Amino acid sequence: MMCGFVGFSNLNKNFTNEDNHFLKQMTNILKKRGPDEEDFYFSKHTCLGHRRLIIIDADNGKQPMSTTYNDSIYTIVYNGQLYNTKEIRDELVESGFDFKGYSDTEVILKAYIHFGTKIFERLNGIFSFAIWNDKKEELILVRDHFGIKPLFYTIVNGTIIFASEIKSILKHPKVRTKLDSNGILEMFGLGPAHTPGFTCFKDIFELKSAHFGIFNKYGFKTYSYWKLESKPHIDDFEQTCKTVQYLLEDSIQKQLVSDVPLCSMLSGGLDSSIIVAYASEHYKKLNGTKLKTYSVDYIDNDKNFVKSDFQPNSDNYYIDIMKNQFDTDHSTVMIDTPELANALEEAMIARDFPGMADVDSSMLLFCKGIREGATVALSGECSDEIFAGYPWFFREDALKSGTFPWSIALNERQKLLNPEISNNLDLKNYVDYRYNESLSNIVFLDEDSDETKEKRKISYLTINWFMQTLLDRSDRMSMYNGLELRVPFCDYRLVQYLWNIPWDIKALNGREKGLLRYIVKDKLPSEIVDRKKSPYPKTHNPTYLKAVKSMLTKIMNDKDAPINNLLNRDYILNILNTDGSSFTRPWFGQLMTGPQLMAYLCQVNMWLEKYHPKIEI
């Protein structure tokens, strides 16, 4: 049930027709997330709105959905997909519950009625939802294990206002758009990542992953329902391989269920190839047809590709191997450079704040192309985070950096700030605080060696920070196009099991994703298994640099551009004059270098112009 929802509740206020009008406006903002249906729930103290993208059980999955039990009326608005629907449904039927249809929405609602909050840990899927109990006058907000589906909230004068996207919250008349010191520290110290639970908007928060919140007469309080558990790994190598293979195949198989056209992304890399290898077999058994696959490429990229340590080869050769061996119905979405630059603003709007520049806008355009032929797509996202696929898992300088290894350009980030702001805000101090705060959550075992402790640290940071940034990107860019994106590698059972596998097994033969490569060596062509990691494809066309440089130059030529209030004009002009080379290290991750930094700065100005935040420092 890929959708978007909004709502607000105040136990000391009786809502009026005017509030109902506001709800409808807020709900309409989410039309791109749910293009198929719209509906509302109005009561004295709570209003709920829902936009629906129909995936399963069109007739019986309508929302908001209400059911009566023991003289209480429970009403749910839900965004997500549950992969163990049948198991939980069967258990509820044995307990005496009956069902109108087979939607996961109805299963979640009745599972909560029966099991209470204990059911949340058992939900295997991607989800966020709100449930209102009219008799208890209690609202429950819930988010999945890894925050794959978004949920934001704010509290103003006793009213809790929540939504799948921040832009819906900002539509409420009581909410003011503000950027304070913490927001600036988040945006420029950590961005496009963010501290779990926080946003760059003052007083607007996200419900943390694996958390639920209860709003009632006592106020609003959040609770954790699950976290990674550190424990000794007792399985031998053979059993470890069998367990990982089972969990991975089971996750992929469960995520192939859909009443609408489904496909898989295919880059020719190890991760997407594994998804396609397993999915193509299961899909043919389920539907008797070929699996649709999609890749993304850029016009003239074949002429302009430049090999690097992070991107050693292009994808097309490997894509051909996969589509031929597994007989998929393959299409390539071609993106031109002007499109990529022009979509930067849409990508920013989809996120509600500056993001990963063209890494975002290309994903947005890729998803737009996929949506022409499918409504659901499987992605290889999250494999690198849980199987140790990034260079920083192996590089001593990254492991010893004392900060987030994908965001080490702290001095350069500090220089970006307007000197008046920079004198009052210490980005490094803030980042250090968030870094150490995060590490304090890790539980080490007595038997953990020094190396194991170091790998636990980098794994924890990667899963809870870098992976979250990519999951945010996947959700916002896909749902902006009404496309549901599923991530089989992010099954919480698989992530939990891998968390405790010893490093020498996980990095088998000293390679990134060594264990994963070993497990699928007989499943995939050797060229795919042995291929060095290559990140999400980006354009190598020099006209992209020219395009974003032109965009940023135009902004800087406007002395009234709002970016001048926040950032160091002279430093930005220096970045322009050197084509970004004066910013000596990547802005974020591995590939956000000169052109991407310029694009990010363009997005910052677009955000300031579009959202008009009141700056409070």
Side-chain angles (χ1 to χ4, degrees), residues 552-580:
L552 186 56
T553 299
K554 184 178 179 181
I555 291 170
M556 298 314 296
N557 284 338
D558 178 7
K559 294 292 180 66
D560 296 324
I563 197 172
N564 289 306
N565 297 323
L566 274 184
L567 300 185
N568 185 336
R569 178 179 174 80
D570 291 338
Y571 191 46
I572 294 176
L573 292 174
N574 186 40
I575 289 170
L576 279 168
N577 291 333
T578 60
D579 289 345

PDB file of all heavy atoms in Angstrom, residues 552-580:
ATOM      1  N   LEU A 552      24.723  28.174 -11.115  1.00  0.00           N
ATOM      2  CA  LEU A 552      25.245  28.781  -9.895  1.00  0.00           C
ATOM      3  C   LEU A 552      25.766  30.193 -10.161  1.00  0.00           C
ATOM      4  O   LEU A 552      25.606  31.094  -9.323  1.00  0.00           O
ATOM      5  CB  LEU A 552      26.352  27.904  -9.302  1.00  0.00           C
ATOM      6  CG  LEU A 552      26.909  28.339  -7.939  1.00  0.00           C
ATOM      7  CD1 LEU A 552      25.796  28.453  -6.898  1.00  0.00           C
ATOM      8  CD2 LEU A 552      27.983  27.372  -7.457  1.00  0.00           C
ATOM      9  N   THR A 553      26.362  30.401 -11.322  1.00  0.00           N
ATOM     10  CA  THR A 553      26.839  31.742 -11.687  1.00  0.00           C
ATOM     11  C   THR A 553      25.679  32.725 -11.752  1.00  0.00           C
ATOM     12  O   THR A 553      25.780  33.865 -11.257  1.00  0.00           O
ATOM     13  CB  THR A 553      27.573  31.700 -13.041  1.00  0.00           C
ATOM     14  OG1 THR A 553      28.699  30.830 -12.944  1.00  0.00           O
ATOM     15  CG2 THR A 553      28.043  33.091 -13.443  1.00  0.00           C
ATOM     16  N   LYS A 554      24.588  32.288 -12.326  1.00  0.00           N
ATOM     17  CA  LYS A 554      23.397  33.146 -12.424  1.00  0.00           C
ATOM     18  C   LYS A 554      22.888  33.511 -11.035  1.00  0.00           C
ATOM     19  O   LYS A 554      22.510  34.658 -10.774  1.00  0.00           O
ATOM     20  CB  LYS A 554      22.304  32.425 -13.221  1.00  0.00           C
ATOM     21  CG  LYS A 554      21.067  33.274 -13.463  1.00  0.00           C
ATOM     22  CD  LYS A 554      20.044  32.522 -14.309  1.00  0.00           C
ATOM     23  CE  LYS A 554      18.799  33.371 -14.539  1.00  0.00           C
ATOM     24  NZ  LYS A 554      17.786  32.639 -15.351  1.00  0.00           N
ATOM     25  N   ILE A 555      22.905  32.534 -10.128  1.00  0.00           N
ATOM     26  CA  ILE A 555      22.475  32.797  -8.746  1.00  0.00           C
ATOM     27  C   ILE A 555      23.402  33.812  -8.083  1.00  0.00           C
ATOM     28  O   ILE A 555      22.961  34.765  -7.439  1.00  0.00           O
ATOM     29  CB  ILE A 555      22.445  31.481  -7.935  1.00  0.00           C
ATOM     30  CG1 ILE A 555      21.310  30.577  -8.427  1.00  0.00           C
ATOM     31  CG2 ILE A 555      22.282  31.765  -6.436  1.00  0.00           C
ATOM     32  CD1 ILE A 555      21.356  29.168  -7.855  1.00  0.00           C
ATOM     33  N   MET A 556      24.716  33.626  -8.256  1.00  0.00           N
ATOM     34  CA  MET A 556      25.674  34.499  -7.583  1.00  0.00           C
ATOM     35  C   MET A 556      25.716  35.899  -8.191  1.00  0.00           C
ATOM     36  O   MET A 556      26.152  36.854  -7.547  1.00  0.00           O
ATOM     37  CB  MET A 556      27.070  33.874  -7.603  1.00  0.00           C
ATOM     38  CG  MET A 556      27.161  32.531  -6.874  1.00  0.00           C
ATOM     39  SD  MET A 556      26.350  32.509  -5.258  1.00  0.00           S
ATOM     40  CE  MET A 556      27.322  33.691  -4.349  1.00  0.00           C
ATOM     41  N   ASN A 557      25.274  36.020  -9.433  1.00  0.00           N
ATOM     42  CA  ASN A 557      25.194  37.349 -10.052  1.00  0.00           C
ATOM     43  C   ASN A 557      24.023  38.164  -9.510  1.00  0.00           C
ATOM     44  O   ASN A 557      23.938  39.371  -9.754  1.00  0.00           O
ATOM     45  CB  ASN A 557      25.077  37.225 -11.573  1.00  0.00           C
ATOM     46  CG  ASN A 557      26.404  36.864 -12.219  1.00  0.00           C
ATOM     47  OD1 ASN A 557      27.468  37.088 -11.641  1.00  0.00           O
ATOM     48  ND2 ASN A 557      26.348  36.316 -13.420  1.00  0.00           N
ATOM     49  N   ASP A 558      23.146  37.466  -8.818  1.00  0.00           N
ATOM     50  CA  ASP A 558      22.007  38.144  -8.192  1.00  0.00           C
ATOM     51  C   ASP A 558      22.371  38.437  -6.742  1.00  0.00           C
ATOM     52  O   ASP A 558      22.357  37.559  -5.891  1.00  0.00           O
ATOM     53  CB  ASP A 558      20.757  37.262  -8.271  1.00  0.00           C
ATOM     54  CG  ASP A 558      19.541  37.873  -7.590  1.00  0.00           C
ATOM     55  OD1 ASP A 558      19.634  39.053  -7.158  1.00  0.00           O
ATOM     56  OD2 ASP A 558      18.504  37.175  -7.485  1.00  0.00           O
ATOM     57  N   LYS A 559      22.706  39.688  -6.462  1.00  0.00           N
ATOM     58  CA  LYS A 559      23.144  40.055  -5.108  1.00  0.00           C
ATOM     59  C   LYS A 559      22.046  39.829  -4.065  1.00  0.00           C
ATOM     60  O   LYS A 559      22.321  39.737  -2.867  1.00  0.00           O
ATOM     61  CB  LYS A 559      23.580  41.521  -5.079  1.00  0.00           C
ATOM     62  CG  LYS A 559      24.820  41.812  -5.913  1.00  0.00           C
ATOM     63  CD  LYS A 559      26.045  41.162  -5.320  1.00  0.00           C
ATOM     64  CE  LYS A 559      27.301  41.454  -6.147  1.00  0.00           C
ATOM     65  NZ  LYS A 559      27.684  42.864  -6.131  1.00  0.00           N
ATOM     66  N   ASP A 560      20.786  39.748  -4.526  1.00  0.00           N
ATOM     67  CA  ASP A 560      19.671  39.528  -3.602  1.00  0.00           C
ATOM     68  C   ASP A 560      19.336  38.052  -3.412  1.00  0.00           C
ATOM     69  O   ASP A 560      18.383  37.720  -2.701  1.00  0.00           O
ATOM     70  CB  ASP A 560      18.417  40.264  -4.100  1.00  0.00           C
ATOM     71  CG  ASP A 560      18.598  41.775  -4.111  1.00  0.00           C
ATOM     72  OD1 ASP A 560      19.283  42.272  -3.190  1.00  0.00           O
ATOM     73  OD2 ASP A 560      18.081  42.435  -5.029  1.00  0.00           O
ATOM     74  N   ALA A 561      20.095  37.174  -4.051  1.00  0.00           N
ATOM     75  CA  ALA A 561      19.835  35.736  -3.900  1.00  0.00           C
ATOM     76  C   ALA A 561      19.946  35.350  -2.424  1.00  0.00           C
ATOM     77  O   ALA A 561      20.915  35.730  -1.751  1.00  0.00           O
ATOM     78  CB  ALA A 561      20.823  34.927  -4.728  1.00  0.00           C
ATOM     79  N   PRO A 562      18.981  34.629  -1.889  1.00  0.00           N
ATOM     80  CA  PRO A 562      18.974  34.332  -0.442  1.00  0.00           C
ATOM     81  C   PRO A 562      20.172  33.540   0.032  1.00  0.00           C
ATOM     82  O   PRO A 562      20.504  33.567   1.212  1.00  0.00           O
ATOM     83  CB  PRO A 562      17.670  33.547  -0.253  1.00  0.00           C
ATOM     84  CG  PRO A 562      17.306  33.035  -1.607  1.00  0.00           C
ATOM     85  CD  PRO A 562      17.810  34.049  -2.583  1.00  0.00           C
ATOM     86  N   ILE A 563      20.861  32.857  -0.873  1.00  0.00           N
ATOM     87  CA  ILE A 563      22.028  32.069  -0.466  1.00  0.00           C
ATOM     88  C   ILE A 563      23.104  32.961   0.149  1.00  0.00           C
ATOM     89  O   ILE A 563      23.893  32.528   0.990  1.00  0.00           O
ATOM     90  CB  ILE A 563      22.594  31.275  -1.671  1.00  0.00           C
ATOM     91  CG1 ILE A 563      23.522  30.154  -1.190  1.00  0.00           C
ATOM     92  CG2 ILE A 563      23.300  32.186  -2.656  1.00  0.00           C
ATOM     93  CD1 ILE A 563      23.970  29.226  -2.293  1.00  0.00           C
ATOM     94  N   ASN A 564      23.128  34.245  -0.253  1.00  0.00           N
ATOM     95  CA  ASN A 564      24.132  35.177   0.273  1.00  0.00           C
ATOM     96  C   ASN A 564      23.967  35.435   1.764  1.00  0.00           C
ATOM     97  O   ASN A 564      24.916  35.844   2.432  1.00  0.00           O
ATOM     98  CB  ASN A 564      24.072  36.503  -0.491  1.00  0.00           C
ATOM     99  CG  ASN A 564      24.592  36.374  -1.906  1.00  0.00           C
ATOM    100  OD1 ASN A 564      25.705  35.905  -2.126  1.00  0.00           O
ATOM    101  ND2 ASN A 564      23.778  36.764  -2.879  1.00  0.00           N
ATOM    102  N   ASN A 565      22.766  35.220   2.272  1.00  0.00           N
ATOM    103  CA  ASN A 565      22.536  35.417   3.704  1.00  0.00           C
ATOM    104  C   ASN A 565      23.139  34.297   4.543  1.00  0.00           C
ATOM    105  O   ASN A 565      23.412  34.481   5.731  1.00  0.00           O
ATOM    106  CB  ASN A 565      21.039  35.511   3.991  1.00  0.00           C
ATOM    107  CG  ASN A 565      20.400  36.703   3.318  1.00  0.00           C
ATOM    108  OD1 ASN A 565      21.007  37.765   3.230  1.00  0.00           O
ATOM    109  ND2 ASN A 565      19.187  36.529   2.832  1.00  0.00           N
ATOM    110  N   LEU A 566      23.318  33.137   3.930  1.00  0.00           N
ATOM    111  CA  LEU A 566      23.807  31.972   4.669  1.00  0.00           C
ATOM    112  C   LEU A 566      25.259  31.643   4.387  1.00  0.00           C
ATOM    113  O   LEU A 566      25.985  31.219   5.279  1.00  0.00           O
ATOM    114  CB  LEU A 566      22.961  30.736   4.298  1.00  0.00           C
ATOM    115  CG  LEU A 566      21.662  30.473   5.042  1.00  0.00           C
ATOM    116  CD1 LEU A 566      21.062  29.167   4.567  1.00  0.00           C
ATOM    117  CD2 LEU A 566      21.883  30.435   6.540  1.00  0.00           C
ATOM    118  N   LEU A 567      25.675  31.825   3.140  1.00  0.00           N
ATOM    119  CA  LEU A 567      26.954  31.271   2.729  1.00  0.00           C
ATOM    120  C   LEU A 567      27.970  32.343   2.363  1.00  0.00           C
ATOM    121  O   LEU A 567      27.647  33.519   2.175  1.00  0.00           O
ATOM    122  CB  LEU A 567      26.748  30.305   1.560  1.00  0.00           C
ATOM    123  CG  LEU A 567      25.830  29.118   1.852  1.00  0.00           C
ATOM    124  CD1 LEU A 567      25.789  28.171   0.673  1.00  0.00           C
ATOM    125  CD2 LEU A 567      26.255  28.377   3.116  1.00  0.00           C
ATOM    126  N   ASN A 568      29.214  31.894   2.253  1.00  0.00           N
ATOM    127  CA  ASN A 568      30.362  32.748   1.988  1.00  0.00           C
ATOM    128  C   ASN A 568      30.454  33.012   0.480  1.00  0.00           C
ATOM    129  O   ASN A 568      30.900  32.160  -0.293  1.00  0.00           O
ATOM    130  CB  ASN A 568      31.631  32.065   2.494  1.00  0.00           C
ATOM    131  CG  ASN A 568      32.856  32.925   2.374  1.00  0.00           C
ATOM    132  OD1 ASN A 568      32.922  33.839   1.567  1.00  0.00           O
ATOM    133  ND2 ASN A 568      33.842  32.633   3.202  1.00  0.00           N
ATOM    134  N   ARG A 569      30.047  34.194   0.082  1.00  0.00           N
ATOM    135  CA  ARG A 569      29.990  34.532  -1.329  1.00  0.00           C
ATOM    136  C   ARG A 569      31.362  34.408  -2.007  1.00  0.00           C
ATOM    137  O   ARG A 569      31.489  33.832  -3.099  1.00  0.00           O
ATOM    138  CB  ARG A 569      29.434  35.949  -1.494  1.00  0.00           C
ATOM    139  CG  ARG A 569      29.376  36.439  -2.921  1.00  0.00           C
ATOM    140  CD  ARG A 569      28.793  37.843  -3.005  1.00  0.00           C
ATOM    141  NE  ARG A 569      28.880  38.346  -4.367  1.00  0.00           N
ATOM    142  CZ  ARG A 569      28.027  38.015  -5.332  1.00  0.00           C
ATOM    143  NH1 ARG A 569      27.028  37.205  -5.073  1.00  0.00           N
ATOM    144  NH2 ARG A 569      28.174  38.513  -6.540  1.00  0.00           N
ATOM    145  N   ASP A 570      32.385  34.908  -1.360  1.00  0.00           N
ATOM    146  CA  ASP A 570      33.727  34.871  -1.948  1.00  0.00           C
ATOM    147  C   ASP A 570      34.203  33.437  -2.159  1.00  0.00           C
ATOM    148  O   ASP A 570      34.846  33.115  -3.164  1.00  0.00           O
ATOM    149  CB  ASP A 570      34.722  35.623  -1.061  1.00  0.00           C
ATOM    150  CG  ASP A 570      34.471  37.126  -1.062  1.00  0.00           C
ATOM    151  OD1 ASP A 570      33.838  37.626  -2.021  1.00  0.00           O
ATOM    152  OD2 ASP A 570      34.892  37.791  -0.090  1.00  0.00           O
ATOM    153  N   TYR A 571      33.904  32.579  -1.192  1.00  0.00           N
ATOM    154  CA  TYR A 571      34.329  31.178  -1.312  1.00  0.00           C
ATOM    155  C   TYR A 571      33.595  30.479  -2.452  1.00  0.00           C
ATOM    156  O   TYR A 571      34.183  29.693  -3.205  1.00  0.00           O
ATOM    157  CB  TYR A 571      34.086  30.453   0.015  1.00  0.00           C
ATOM    158  CG  TYR A 571      34.723  29.082   0.100  1.00  0.00           C
ATOM    159  CD1 TYR A 571      36.043  28.877  -0.297  1.00  0.00           C
ATOM    160  CD2 TYR A 571      34.012  27.995   0.585  1.00  0.00           C
ATOM    161  CE1 TYR A 571      36.633  27.629  -0.205  1.00  0.00           C
ATOM    162  CE2 TYR A 571      34.591  26.735   0.683  1.00  0.00           C
ATOM    163  CZ  TYR A 571      35.912  26.559   0.280  1.00  0.00           C
ATOM    164  OH  TYR A 571      36.493  25.318   0.365  1.00  0.00           O
ATOM    165  N   ILE A 572      32.305  30.784  -2.604  1.00  0.00           N
ATOM    166  CA  ILE A 572      31.535  30.184  -3.701  1.00  0.00           C
ATOM    167  C   ILE A 572      32.066  30.671  -5.049  1.00  0.00           C
ATOM    168  O   ILE A 572      32.180  29.884  -6.000  1.00  0.00           O
ATOM    169  CB  ILE A 572      30.034  30.504  -3.551  1.00  0.00           C
ATOM    170  CG1 ILE A 572      29.475  29.824  -2.298  1.00  0.00           C
ATOM    171  CG2 ILE A 572      29.260  30.032  -4.786  1.00  0.00           C
ATOM    172  CD1 ILE A 572      28.033  30.161  -2.006  1.00  0.00           C
ATOM    173  N   LEU A 573      32.410  31.940  -5.138  1.00  0.00           N
ATOM    174  CA  LEU A 573      32.981  32.465  -6.381  1.00  0.00           C
ATOM    175  C   LEU A 573      34.301  31.770  -6.696  1.00  0.00           C
ATOM    176  O   LEU A 573      34.613  31.493  -7.866  1.00  0.00           O
ATOM    177  CB  LEU A 573      33.172  33.976  -6.275  1.00  0.00           C
ATOM    178  CG  LEU A 573      31.879  34.807  -6.223  1.00  0.00           C
ATOM    179  CD1 LEU A 573      32.205  36.277  -5.980  1.00  0.00           C
ATOM    180  CD2 LEU A 573      31.075  34.636  -7.512  1.00  0.00           C
ATOM    181  N   ASN A 574      35.071  31.462  -5.660  1.00  0.00           N
ATOM    182  CA  ASN A 574      36.319  30.730  -5.859  1.00  0.00           C
ATOM    183  C   ASN A 574      36.045  29.313  -6.366  1.00  0.00           C
ATOM    184  O   ASN A 574      36.771  28.798  -7.233  1.00  0.00           O
ATOM    185  CB  ASN A 574      37.102  30.696  -4.542  1.00  0.00           C
ATOM    186  CG  ASN A 574      38.479  30.082  -4.716  1.00  0.00           C
ATOM    187  OD1 ASN A 574      39.160  30.323  -5.710  1.00  0.00           O
ATOM    188  ND2 ASN A 574      38.891  29.272  -3.764  1.00  0.00           N
ATOM    189  N   ILE A 575      35.012  28.688  -5.827  1.00  0.00           N
ATOM    190  CA  ILE A 575      34.615  27.354  -6.295  1.00  0.00           C
ATOM    191  C   ILE A 575      34.235  27.416  -7.769  1.00  0.00           C
ATOM    192  O   ILE A 575      34.620  26.551  -8.568  1.00  0.00           O
ATOM    193  CB  ILE A 575      33.442  26.820  -5.446  1.00  0.00           C
ATOM    194  CG1 ILE A 575      33.929  26.467  -4.040  1.00  0.00           C
ATOM    195  CG2 ILE A 575      32.801  25.601  -6.106  1.00  0.00           C
ATOM    196  CD1 ILE A 575      32.807  26.155  -3.055  1.00  0.00           C
ATOM    197  N   LEU A 576      33.500  28.449  -8.153  1.00  0.00           N
ATOM    198  CA  LEU A 576      33.107  28.612  -9.554  1.00  0.00           C
ATOM    199  C   LEU A 576      34.330  28.824 -10.446  1.00  0.00           C
ATOM    200  O   LEU A 576      34.447  28.217 -11.522  1.00  0.00           O
ATOM    201  CB  LEU A 576      32.156  29.805  -9.691  1.00  0.00           C
ATOM    202  CG  LEU A 576      30.694  29.566  -9.343  1.00  0.00           C
ATOM    203  CD1 LEU A 576      29.941  30.884  -9.242  1.00  0.00           C
ATOM    204  CD2 LEU A 576      30.045  28.661 -10.388  1.00  0.00           C
ATOM    205  N   ASN A 577      35.241  29.659 -10.003  1.00  0.00           N
ATOM    206  CA  ASN A 577      36.409  29.997 -10.829  1.00  0.00           C
ATOM    207  C   ASN A 577      37.340  28.808 -11.036  1.00  0.00           C
ATOM    208  O   ASN A 577      38.095  28.771 -12.013  1.00  0.00           O
ATOM    209  CB  ASN A 577      37.186  31.155 -10.193  1.00  0.00           C
ATOM    210  CG  ASN A 577      36.410  32.458 -10.252  1.00  0.00           C
ATOM    211  OD1 ASN A 577      35.573  32.649 -11.136  1.00  0.00           O
ATOM    212  ND2 ASN A 577      36.684  33.358  -9.315  1.00  0.00           N
ATOM    213  N   THR A 578      37.287  27.847 -10.111  1.00  0.00           N
ATOM    214  CA  THR A 578      38.175  26.676 -10.211  1.00  0.00           C
ATOM    215  C   THR A 578      37.425  25.417 -10.630  1.00  0.00           C
ATOM    216  O   THR A 578      37.952  24.310 -10.525  1.00  0.00           O
ATOM    217  CB  THR A 578      38.870  26.416  -8.855  1.00  0.00           C
ATOM    218  OG1 THR A 578      37.872  26.159  -7.854  1.00  0.00           O
ATOM    219  CG2 THR A 578      39.711  27.606  -8.446  1.00  0.00           C
ATOM    220  N   ASP A 579      36.174  25.593 -11.084  1.00  0.00           N
ATOM    221  CA  ASP A 579      35.325  24.448 -11.472  1.00  0.00           C
ATOM    222  C   ASP A 579      35.170  23.434 -10.346  1.00  0.00           C
ATOM    223  O   ASP A 579      35.044  22.223 -10.577  1.00  0.00           O
ATOM    224  CB  ASP A 579      35.880  23.745 -12.720  1.00  0.00           C
ATOM    225  CG  ASP A 579      35.707  24.594 -13.978  1.00  0.00           C
ATOM    226  OD1 ASP A 579      34.921  25.558 -13.938  1.00  0.00           O
ATOM    227  OD2 ASP A 579      36.351  24.280 -14.992  1.00  0.00           O
ATOM    228  N   GLY A 580      35.241  23.930  -9.111  1.00  0.00           N
ATOM    229  CA  GLY A 580      35.028  23.066  -7.958  1.00  0.00           C
ATOM    230  C   GLY A 580      36.284  22.434  -7.414  1.00  0.00           C
ATOM    231  O   GLY A 580      36.250  21.786  -6.362  1.00  0.00           O
TER     232      GLY A 580
END
